[in-house]
Amino acid sequence: MAVTDEAIEKIKEMIVSGALRPGDRLPKESELAAELGLSRNSLREAVRALSLIRILDVRQGDGTYVTSLDPQLLLEAMSFVVDFHRDDTVLEFLAVRRILEPAATAMAATRISEAELGALSAQLDALGPDPSVEELVASDLEFHRRIVRGSGNSVLCSLLDGLSGPTTRARIWRGLTQEDAVSRTLHEHRAILAALRDQDVEAARSWATVHIASVEQWLRSTL
């Protein structure tokens, strides 16, 4: 194991064991290096790597802290990585989304609030029947984000947020709008919303599946 990897593993063990908790400040570099039996250089590299993936927060002039370790924070890097997908792997991302998002939509059917349902309805009304690509992308992201948030599962919400980056959606929707699929998409959004209003778990799951599968089917035919 490389020395930096060893350093990362040792810091990870301290966090997992509870020796370091969310919000805790790490000991001084010299003290922590001696405690873990590491060189200061390898410790410094490990801290830098862990800060990039939001495990640690390096504050200049103050010290290094364990972050909140909130799922949304830890999974932030996923959306950055997703934006670098190749065209031949976007279908794999969509396949994962097709597994997770219908499940989240089904969960939301019995948990989402009336206020949130009203906000979703108002959002669709405000979009109108002939939105621009940019408006559709923004609305689509927010529509599904609100529903997934309504599932009450923060990990699921963070995972899907990472899989549904604006760049991915924009690439797909530019092609879809050329195929005059806007009206179909808006219809599917309305159907999902109706299922949520009825608290119909299976209908919500089914419409979410149809919605994502139609995108996947179109994309598969163009690659």
Side-chain angles (χ1 to χ4, degrees):
M1 183 183 292
V3 289
T4 301
D5 291 340
E6 181 186 0
I8 289 171
E9 195 60 34
K10 287 188 174 181
I11 296 173
K12 174 186 170 184
E13 286 173 8
M14 292 181 72
I15 296 171
V16 172
S17 70
L20 286 172
R21 297 182 179 277
D24 282 356
R25 181 178 178 175
L26 270 64
K28 290 181 179 179
E29 186 181 89
S30 57
E31 296 173 5
L32 186 58
E35 179 184 342
L36 297 178
L38 301 167
S39 72
R40 293 178 68 171
N41 279 340
S42 62
L43 177 60
R44 202 171 294 133
E45 288 299 318
V47 167
R48 186 177 292 114
L50 290 169
S51 68
L52 287 173
I53 57 172
R54 304 291 198 270
I55 301 293
L56 298 178
D57 179 19
V58 180
R59 304 176 190 173
Q60 292 298 326
D62 187 18
T64 299
Y65 293 78
V66 181
T67 66
S68 66
L69 303 180
D70 181 80
Q72 188 169 1
L73 181 68
L74 298 181
L75 291 167
E76 248 180 32
M78 184 187 296
S79 61
F80 182 77
V81 173
V82 169
D83 279 347
F84 284 95
H85 70 73
R86 303 186 311 273
D87 286 345
D88 60 345
T89 59
V90 66
L91 282 168
E92 295 182 13
F93 286 111
L94 273 172
V96 175
R97 188 177 157 223
R98 179 162 45 85
I99 294 167
L100 297 179
E101 194 159 311
T105 306
M107 291 167 66
T110 57
R111 300 180 184 184
I112 197 165
S113 68
E114 282 296 327
E116 198 60 53
L117 288 171
L120 285 168
S121 182
Q123 180 188 329
L124 292 181
D125 290 341
L127 189 61
D130 190 28
S132 67
V133 172
E134 291 74 19
E135 289 170 334
L136 186 61
V137 170
S139 178
D140 191 47
L141 280 166
E142 186 58 23
F143 181 79
H144 291 287
R145 185 179 289 124
R146 282 177 177 273
I147 292 172
V148 174
R149 195 183 302 135
S151 73
N153 188 309
S154 62
V155 174
L156 194 52
C157 189
S158 298
L159 280 170
L160 282 165
D161 215 29
L163 289 168
S164 304
T167 301
T168 301
R169 291 289 184 87
R171 288 174 184 169
I172 293 169
W173 282 118
R174 283 191 185 96
L176 280 176
T177 50
Q178 290 170 4
E179 297 294 321
D180 195 29
V182 176
S183 59
R184 182 182 64 191
T185 300
L186 296 177
H187 168 70
E188 289 167 357
H189 279 184
R190 290 284 183 190
I192 291 170
L193 180 56
L196 293 175
R197 282 197 180 282
D198 293 341
Q199 296 189 338
D200 189 330
V201 172
E202 290 310 314
R205 189 196 313 275
S206 296
W207 275 112
T209 302
V210 166
H211 182 54
I212 299 164
S214 64
V215 177
E216 192 176 358
Q217 184 180 30
W218 172 85
L219 188 61
R220 194 180 299 277
S221 71
T222 64
L223 290 180

